[in-house]
Amino acid sequence: MFGFGRQPVTRLQFIVAGAQKSGTTALNYYLKRHSQIALPAKKELHFFDDDALFAEGEVDYQSLHAMFPPARAGSVAGENTPNYLYWPPAMERIRAYQPAIKLIFVLRDPISRAFSQWNMQRARGIEPLDFVPALQAEATRLRELAPPEARRFAYLDRGRYASQLARVFRLFPKEQTLVLKYETFRERQRDGLGAIFRFLGVKVPTFFRSVDAHHIPYARTLRLEERAFVSELMRDENAQLEQLLGWDCADWR
């Protein structure tokens, strides 16, 4: 029924859980082409951030597994939804599903990340405001809009990685997590992918074709005064991230 050597997916072993606009589409390209990795037909299943699925208490995980085509025997199954890092209940739901799951996070300079998200929303016709006015309106939007709509405008809030990862580390041991810096991953994809594949316990390919997937052309560049404005807003948060991960985020400033 499933073809020679193939079987249904009954449990996920890993999730790429963030962050949005941080190269997860390119990463999905590589994961999808690995013979030992099983992914669903589409990226971003949004299972663990779908509040309606968890409203009744009893969760139908079979509906999650049904999103995967039959996989080769011995494959490592996982999915890629960057919103999980940001959405507060998602990590608790993932832990309840599979406490031993491996989690991958790619974090981008929160200034460039915010600008990229703003540019995407402008291109989609969702965001009427210019960049800085949109940031200034963010707190009000997050407070007044329904959560699924508000997260479209969470430009700064999504980049508060320290508090988001602190939530992860309260639920999962650090050895089950892999946190990469987007800028380093983009410059040295071979090294980053090697680290990811070793983390997942699969063979590291000898050949990589570099890709820059899901690129939305920018209507304009980020201005120096805009970068300075956001840098000041995110200064304390970035300092906390440096302490949490032992990173040097000087390039983000």
Side-chain angles (χ1 to χ4, degrees):
M1 178 178 178
F2 297 111
F4 180 76
R6 293 188 176 270
Q7 55 193 24
V9 169
T10 58
R11 184 66 57 174
L12 306 192
Q13 285 82 43
F14 77 93
I15 292 177
V16 179
Q20 185 199 52
K21 308 305 293 180
S22 299
T24 57
T25 299
L27 175 54
N28 207 70
Y29 171 90
Y30 294 112
L31 295 174
K32 208 169 188 66
R33 281 154 182 77
H34 198 292
S35 61
Q36 295 175 273
I37 294 177
L39 291 182
K42 70 171 186 175
K43 178 177 176 280
E44 302 196 25
L45 297 185
H46 288 284
F47 184 86
F48 294 101
D49 62 354
D50 187 337
D51 295 344
L53 293 176
F54 293 82
E56 301 301 324
E58 190 68 26
V59 184
D60 177 18
Y61 294 121
Q62 179 56 38
S63 64
L64 168 65
H65 303 147
M67 299 180 192
F68 289 74
R72 294 177 182 176
S75 293
V76 177
E79 71 118 332
N80 183 344
T81 300
N83 194 54
Y84 292 160
L85 175 61
Y86 176 66
W87 203 242
M91 286 299 147
E92 290 186 2
R93 294 166 179 171
I94 292 170
R95 187 179 186 278
Y97 165 75
Q98 170 61 295
I101 204 162
K102 294 182 178 181
L103 300 168
I104 299 170
F105 307 97
V106 186
L107 307 183
R108 182 180 185 178
D109 159 22
I111 305 172
S112 300
R113 198 222 66 80
F115 188 73
S116 181
Q117 183 189 353
W118 170 83
N119 180 77
M120 177 180 70
Q121 303 296 51
R122 292 280 282 188
R124 292 175 174 176
I126 294 172
E127 177 57 82
L129 301 178
D130 201 6
F131 183 52
V132 169
L135 302 185
Q136 293 169 331
E138 179 174 331
T140 300
R141 286 167 157 176
L142 294 182
R143 185 173 60 251
E144 296 182 354
L145 296 176
E149 184 178 0
R151 67 189 185 189
R152 297 179 178 181
F153 305 107
Y155 305 116
L156 296 176
D157 208 36
R158 285 183 182 273
R160 303 189 195 282
Y161 304 132
S163 55
Q164 295 167 28
L165 285 176
R167 181 168 62 236
V168 174
F169 295 151
R170 284 194 295 269
L171 296 168
F172 296 93
K174 287 189 176 182
E175 57 266 26
Q176 283 177 221
T177 69
L178 179 64
V179 188
L180 301 175
K181 191 185 254 191
Y182 164 84
E183 292 77 14
T184 304
F185 176 72
R186 185 170 183 176
E187 291 173 6
R188 306 199 322 250
Q189 282 190 345
R190 180 184 295 272
D191 293 341
L193 288 168
I196 290 169
F197 291 140
R198 284 189 292 272
F199 176 67
L200 296 178
V202 298
K203 181 180 178 181
V204 179
T206 57
F207 174 76
F208 298 100
R209 177 191 173 195
S210 182
V211 296
D212 185 12
H214 199 55
H215 177 67
I216 300 175
Y218 285 2
R220 64 171 178 83
T221 58
L222 179 66
R223 304 180 184 115
L224 288 177
E225 63 271 20
E226 293 173 328
R227 172 166 282 278
F229 175 78
V230 184
S231 181
E232 182 61 26
L233 292 176
M234 302 300 292
R235 181 179 58 182
D236 292 344
E237 182 74 25
N238 289 343
Q240 292 173 26
L241 184 70
E242 289 179 315
Q243 186 174 18
L244 182 66
L245 297 179
W247 282 11
D248 179 0
C249 296
D251 54 325
W252 287 2
R253 294 189 287 272

